[in-house]
C-alpha cells in the first residue's frame, strides 16, 4: 500500500541511513552510497560529503539526486525522494543536526569537532523533494 504524504514524510524523518543515488552518465550505472542526513517533515533534506567526492561532482553536474530509506521490520517499508540539489555551507548546526540523529548526545560534539576540523574539504547538500515513491508492503516474510 502506498503511504500518505504525512506517513512518507514521517518515515523519512526517522533516523535511518539513506542510500543516495545520482546518475553517472549513459555508460555507467548510478553512483549509490549510504549517507547520514537530516530531514523535518515538509522541509528539505540536508547532508554533507567530501567536496571532491564522486557523488558531489556528479550532483553538481546533474543538479539532482535520489535518496531512499527502508526498513524490513516489523514490515517492509520504503520511501524514495528525488529532487533538485543545491550546495550549502557546512556549518556546526548542520553537522550537529545530521550527527544528532545517529549518535548519542555525548558523541555528537566529538564527532562534530572532527568533521569541522576538515570543513574546507566538505560540502553541504540540500535536496528539495519533488517526486516521492513510498510504500508499506505489509508484514515481513
Amino acid at each position: 500500500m502506498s503511504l500518505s504524504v504525512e506517513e512518507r514524510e514521517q518515515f523519512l524523518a526517522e533516523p535511518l541511513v539513506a542510500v543516495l543515488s545520482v546518475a553517472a552518465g549513459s555508460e555507467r550505472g548510478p553512483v549509490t552510497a549510504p549517507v547520514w542526513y537530516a530531514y523535518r517533515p515538509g522541509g528539505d533534506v540536508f547532508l554533507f560529503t567530501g567536496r571532491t567526492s564522486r557523488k558531489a561532482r556528479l550532483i553538481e553536474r546533474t543538479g539532482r539526486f535520489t535518496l531512499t530509506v527502508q526498513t524490513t521490520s516489523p514490515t517492509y517499508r520504503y520511501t524514495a525522494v528525488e529532487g533538485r540539489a543545491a550546495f550549502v555551507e557546512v556549518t556546526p548546526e548542520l553537522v550537529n543536526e545530521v550527527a544528532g540523529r545517529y549518535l548519542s548526545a555525548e558523541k555528537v560534539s566529538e564527532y562534530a569537532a572532527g568533521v569541522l576540523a576538515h570543513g574546507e574539504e566538505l560540502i553541504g547538500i540540500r535536496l528539495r523533494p519533488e517526486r516521492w515513491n513510498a510504500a508499506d508492503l505489509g508484514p515481513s516474510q
Side-chain angles (χ1 to χ4, degrees), residues 23-52:
S26 62
E27 300 298 315
R28 296 189 67 174
V31 167
T32 303
V35 295
W36 287 358
Y37 67 97
Y39 174 74
R40 292 189 182 131
D44 295 337
V45 177
F46 292 91
L47 59 105
F48 54 88
T49 191
R51 185 178 296 276
T52 61

Side-chain angles (χ1 to χ4, degrees), residues 12-72:
L12 186 62
E14 292 180 23
L16 301 166
V17 174
V19 176
L20 179 152
S21 294
V22 58
S26 62
E27 300 298 315
R28 296 189 67 174
V31 167
T32 303
V35 295
W36 287 358
Y37 67 97
Y39 174 74
R40 292 189 182 131
D44 295 337
V45 177
F46 292 91
L47 59 105
F48 54 88
T49 191
R51 185 178 296 276
T52 61
S53 68
R54 186 163 180 242
K55 64 183 169 281
R57 292 191 321 265
L58 289 169
I59 290 169
E60 182 176 26
R61 184 170 71 188
T62 63
R64 57 190 320 105
F65 65 97
T66 300
L67 278 183
T68 303
V69 294
Q70 69 172 7
T71 61
T72 57

Side-chain angles (χ1 to χ4, degrees), residues 87-102:
F87 291 102
V88 298
E89 180 183 353
V90 175
T91 63
E93 295 79 19
L94 174 60
V95 173
N96 286 324
E97 185 173 358
V98 171
R101 293 168 44 90
Y102 302 96

Side-chain angles (χ1 to χ4, degrees), residues 71-118:
T71 61
T72 57
S73 181
T75 67
Y76 179 72
R77 181 181 267 206
Y78 71 91
T79 294
V81 60
E82 174 205 346
R84 295 218 166 267
F87 291 102
V88 298
E89 180 183 353
V90 175
T91 63
E93 295 79 19
L94 174 60
V95 173
N96 286 324
E97 185 173 358
V98 171
R101 293 168 44 90
Y102 302 96
L103 299 173
S104 64
E106 54 276 354
K107 298 279 186 185
V108 171
S109 60
E110 180 182 339
Y111 175 82
V115 166
L116 293 168
H118 302 285

